[in-house]
Amino acid sequence: MSFKPWHLAAMEDAGLTDTNAGLINRVAYELAKSSNDEIGNEEFISACIKCGVDPYSFTS
């Protein structure tokens, strides 16, 4: 199966890729569920781990 560039961009925007932008979006969507106005370090690390992202180097 081949993908057009817009397919890949949409997958990255949705956080479905392992690119830096994809990983950032994946964590951002998770953090957006928070009811907090500010995100603390603990909550950030927890969201990263939940999304399968290394919070210290922001890689998968």
Side-chain angles (χ1 to χ4, degrees), residues 7-8 10-19 21-23 25-26 29:
H7 290 133
L8 298 173
M11 290 176 5
E12 187 173 69
D13 285 346
L16 300 174
T17 64
D18 286 339
T19 63
L23 296 173
N25 289 337
R26 190 181 308 168
Y29 285 124

Side-chain angles (χ1 to χ4, degrees), residues 9-40:
M11 290 176 5
E12 187 173 69
D13 285 346
L16 300 174
T17 64
D18 286 339
T19 63
N20 249 6
L23 296 173
I24 290 168
N25 289 337
R26 190 181 308 168
V27 174
Y29 285 124
E30 182 62 31
L31 291 173
K33 298 175 188 176
S34 175
S35 60
N36 298 329
D37 290 333
E38 294 182 14
I39 303 295

Side-chain angles (χ1 to χ4, degrees), residues 47-60:
C48 287
I49 292 169
K50 184 174 182 181
C51 294
V53 176
D54 181 348
Y56 301 104
S57 68
F58 228 75
T59 60
S60 59

